[in-house]
Amino acid sequence: MEYSLHTARVSDVKEIHSLLLGAADKGQLLARSLSDLYSHARDFVLMKNSRGEVAGCCALAIIWEDLAEIRSLYVREELRLAGLGRAMVENCLRTAGDMGLARVFTLTYKTAFFERLGFAEVGKEVLPQKIWADCIHCPKFPDCDEVAMQREV
């Protein structure tokens, strides 16, 4: 089946929510509320099949004047290793560059995937804007088990 990249639409939010909720239930990423996803729908790119079904999602969130975050990256398990995640992250990196952002980071459990895309592990202390804006509200704070990774755009 063919897959193509799409900018998320409001009508995609419930399907994104379902994907992310399933992944959160498995401990693969943090859950996001439906209201949060509606508020940030414009941050998402999707991989859809020829029937319009969402195969994966990824968001680029601007954190500061020179910093953005790749978040909520998920590809359906049966489609992993098909390059869908790479395509979404590369799209987000191009968008970050087009916006004049200097750095992109992620908090992840999939370090090898992001290393292949040029990210390197960094200490969370280099991301104070993220920590005080989002992480402080997370139920895992201050004992986060995700790895911070960053790359220049």
Side-chain angles (χ1 to χ4, degrees), residues 57-109:
C57 61
C58 183
L60 178 71
I62 298 170
I63 302 299
W64 203 247
E65 68 182 344
D66 66 342
L67 183 66
E69 178 185 12
I70 299 282
R71 60 168 62 164
S72 300
L73 172 61
Y74 185 76
V75 175
R76 292 187 186 277
E77 290 183 29
E78 68 274 14
L79 298 171
R80 293 191 184 153
L81 304 175
L84 305 182
R86 172 182 282 274
M88 289 186 293
V89 171
E90 287 174 346
N91 176 272
C92 288
L93 292 170
R94 279 190 301 277
T95 299
D98 291 346
M99 295 181 76
L101 296 161
R103 301 174 295 141
V104 174
F105 77 94
T106 191
L107 296 172
T108 186
Y109 298 116

Side-chain angles (χ1 to χ4, degrees), residues 15-32:
E15 196 168 358
I16 294 168
H17 184 253
S18 177
L19 273 179
L20 297 179
L21 199 56
D25 287 346
K26 296 174 187 172
Q28 297 171 335
L29 50 74
L30 294 174
R32 293 184 68 180

Side-chain angles (χ1 to χ4, degrees), residues 5 8 17 34 40 45 60-61 66 74 85 94 98 100-101 115 123 131 133 143 148-149:
L5 196 64
H17 184 253
L34 196 54
H40 294 94
V45 292
L60 178 71
D66 66 342
Y74 185 76
R94 279 190 301 277
D98 291 346
L101 296 161
E115 284 172 353
I131 302 306
D143 300 316
M149 300 185 79

Side-chain angles (χ1 to χ4, degrees), residues 9-64:
R9 300 173 58 109
V10 171
S11 59
D12 296 314
V13 169
K14 287 184 180 175
E15 196 168 358
I16 294 168
H17 184 253
S18 177
L19 273 179
L20 297 179
L21 199 56
D25 287 346
K26 296 174 187 172
Q28 297 171 335
L29 50 74
L30 294 174
R32 293 184 68 180
S33 70
L34 196 54
S35 64
D36 180 56
L37 292 173
Y38 277 117
S39 296
H40 294 94
R42 71 184 92 205
D43 296 345
F44 279 85
V45 292
L46 308 173
M47 292 301 288
K48 291 184 174 184
N49 64 24
S50 54
R51 293 189 302 258
E53 299 163 330
V54 176
C57 61
C58 183
L60 178 71
I62 298 170
I63 302 299
W64 203 247

